[in-house]
Amino acid sequence: MACLGLLFTACNSDKTKTAQTDSTATDSSGAGLSLPAGFSAAVIAKDLGSVRHISITPQGGIYVKHKSAGGNAGILYLTEANGTATVKTSFGTFDGTGIYVKKGYLYASSDEEVFRFKLNANNEVESPDKPEKIVTGLISRNEHEAKAILLDDAGNLYVNIGAYSNSCQVKDREKGSMGQPGCPILDSAGGIWQFKADKLNQTYKDGIRYATGLRNVVGMDWNKTSNQLFVMQHGRDQLHDIFPDMYTEKQSAILPAECMFAINKGDNAGWPYVYYDQEQKKKIVMPEYGGDGKKEGDSKYLEPAAAFPGHLAPNGLLFYTGSQFPEKYKNGAFIAFHGSWNRAPEPQAGYFVVFQPLKNGKADGPMEVFADGFSGSAENTAKGSATHRPCGLAQGPDGSLYVTDDVKGNIYKISYKK
């Protein structure tokens, strides 16, 4: 299979297994993706710029968020007809990544704030120039600054506040520098904060640090089966560069795991004190905090629900609840891996969408590469020069899967037909 072969080529030093999917064929619609049998992909929009997360209304309206608005429209609203999505309106001057439709409002984030726009009965924004400011004053220090957002059914807003550091060193990313005692970054970043979805001008003091010890989360979704927040963490970088006596270049290319966590209020996922080693299947103490690559971490830190090869950059997470796809996909997780930059001299990897089967909130078998070919070629993947990079995921009202690309600004629609 072409997509699995690409994974093994790019990740040939990983011992992570990948499940065998149904027979796969390259899609013939022009999208250029490899998908399981019965699936097809269409590029319904092109050249939209750095579109990140996506949210779709019950009427099929498409909202996408620009990471870099440049003082222009940071939010696009598209409608779809006859296989093409057309931009109908654009608004919002703020940069950012997060966007979410919930209970009559469109929520969208900048790197420091969260806004909401009132929607009409057709879930279209009523007053695009008059958003309400829900949260303000969040930390943004030019590293992991994008604020992913999510809402639950109980009126709560969840915001990722990424750590402005790789591993909380005294001197960030400097060879041999040790970790800051107590990691003061965790007071205001490195976790998920919970706010009220309908209260204006909230700041840190109004919110709750819902979960901590998360270096950076871009992909989040609410698992309705367990009624629980799930997140995808970007693991730390540069184990070999910072501690060359402890880690080989090959180890640094595949460690630590990119982890899916099932989150409850008060959980601590362990950053920067531990990382998860998918080879040893253990939490390992970070070298900045006295680890040696083998010393096992404290059991008080959260175990991952699933673990994936390092540095694949999970930017989108979606639990599939539709009925269009085969039954095996129901309540499982789709993950958009944006792709690596830091596996050299090993080949880079990622740039695909995978499916992770789940049972009782945990991985039920290995991941399956679901949609591959975004990068353009195996050579592009290995070099880290992908033509397209998957980022945001959304489910349409008919059960189709939508994927954004923040390089060329494509929106892909993946459908299934028996």
Side-chain angles (χ1 to χ4, degrees):
M1 296 170 61
C3 63
L4 295 183
L6 178 58
L7 176 66
F8 291 135
T9 299
C11 307
N12 56 14
S13 55
D14 297 346
K15 295 179 182 176
T16 304
K17 293 182 180 179
T18 304
Q20 196 81 4
T21 61
D22 298 331
S23 60
T24 302
T26 300
D27 177 62
S28 60
S29 64
L33 301 183
S34 297
L35 297 160
F39 288 90
S40 63
V43 177
I44 61 169
K46 296 181 179 180
D47 303 319
L48 298 179
S50 57
V51 289
R52 300 278 285 181
H53 284 170
I54 178 172
S55 190
I56 300 179
T57 71
Q59 294 83 3
I62 302 169
Y63 289 99
V64 291
K65 185 72 185 71
H66 266 284
K67 178 174 173 57
S68 301
N72 297 311
I75 301 170
L76 303 179
Y77 175 65
L78 302 90
T79 58
E80 184 182 349
N82 301 317
T84 300
T86 304
V87 177
K88 292 298 183 182
T89 58
S90 57
F91 55 95
T93 58
F94 48 92
D95 299 348
T97 199
I99 198 157
Y100 207 83
V101 172
K102 192 76 172 180
K103 293 184 177 178
Y105 287 91
L106 173 70
Y107 292 79
S109 66
S110 71
D111 292 344
E112 299 176 350
E113 296 172 311
V114 181
F115 303 87
R116 73 174 184 178
F117 299 81
K118 180 66 177 173
L119 300 174
N120 62 23
N122 292 320
N123 282 306
E124 298 167 333
V125 171
E126 291 182 341
S127 301
D129 297 329
K130 297 178 181 179
E132 295 179 327
K133 189 176 290 184
I134 301 298
V135 183
T136 189
L138 303 178
I139 277 186
S140 176
R141 297 190 178 175
N142 301 315
E143 187 172 358
H144 307 143
E145 68 275 12
K147 303 297 185 287
I149 60 173
L150 181 73
L151 287 94
D152 64 15
D153 290 332
N156 297 306
L157 165 70
Y158 300 87
V159 184
N160 166 66
I161 306 177
Y164 46 95
S165 173
N166 177 38
S167 52
C168 209
Q169 292 171 279
V170 173
K171 295 183 178 180
D172 192 32
R173 300 181 187 267
E174 185 167 305
K175 182 178 178 180
S177 180
M178 300 304 288
Q180 298 180 62
C183 190
I185 288 171
L186 292 172
D187 289 346
S188 56
I192 306 296
W193 267 253
Q194 183 192 69
F195 298 94
K196 295 297 182 185
D198 59 357
K199 183 178 178 181
L200 303 185
N201 297 310
Q202 296 169 88
T203 63
Y204 277 104
K205 65 181 177 60
D206 302 297
I208 297 168
R209 187 169 60 175
Y210 191 77
T212 191
L214 292 159
R215 178 177 176 268
N216 189 38
V217 166
V218 186
M220 307 195 277
D221 199 12
W222 195 265
N223 187 327
K224 293 185 180 296
T225 302
S226 61
N227 193 31
Q228 190 177 18
L229 175 66
F230 275 62
V231 303
M232 293 296 307
Q233 177 179 234
H234 283 225
R236 59 85 46 84
D237 304 321
Q238 299 172 298
L239 284 167
H240 170 75
D241 292 349
I242 299 171
F243 294 95
D245 293 339
M246 294 186 197
Y247 297 90
T248 66
E249 290 177 327
K250 185 169 287 189
Q251 286 177 310
S252 194
I254 63 171
L255 297 175
E258 307 282 45
C259 290
M260 174 190 287
F261 290 106
I263 301 291
N264 291 310
K265 183 179 178 181
D267 278 344
N268 187 337
W271 182 91
Y273 306 113
V274 300
Y275 64 81
Y276 190 78
D277 183 323
Q278 74 274 22
E279 306 272 292
Q280 300 184 64
K281 295 182 171 56
K282 295 178 180 178
K283 290 171 292 201
I284 300 296
V285 176
M286 289 265 214
E288 289 85 352
Y289 289 90
D292 59 2
K294 299 179 181 179
K295 184 178 179 182
E296 196 162 350
D298 197 313
S299 61
K300 70 180 181 181
Y301 297 122
L302 193 61
E303 290 282 342
F308 305 91
H311 315 301
L312 300 185
N315 277 9
L317 173 64
L318 175 77
F319 291 102
Y320 187 77
T321 58
S323 57
Q324 182 188 130
F325 290 7
E327 184 64 25
K328 64 171 280 187
Y329 294 100
K330 195 73 173 275
N331 298 316
F334 287 103
I335 304 161
F337 283 110
H338 195 239
S340 65
W341 60 269
N342 54 352
R343 283 173 161 247
E346 298 294 308
Q348 302 302 325
Y351 319 102
F352 46 45
V353 175
V354 309
F355 176 71
Q356 176 60 61
L358 296 169
K359 185 177 182 180
N360 300 321
K362 296 283 188 182
D364 185 28
M367 72 176 187
E368 304 170 4
V369 176
F370 176 76
D372 204 352
F374 292 94
S375 74
S377 69
E379 291 76 18
N380 285 357
T381 295
K383 293 186 296 183
S385 57
T387 304
H388 305 280
R389 301 179 77 173
C391 185
L393 299 173
Q395 181 181 305
D398 68 348
S400 295
L401 178 68
Y402 292 74
V403 186
T404 62
D405 148 47
D406 65 357
V407 178
K408 299 290 187 180
N410 283 5
I411 298 178
Y412 299 82
K413 182 179 181 179
I414 300 175
S415 304
Y416 178 78
K417 186 176 182 180
K418 292 182 180 179

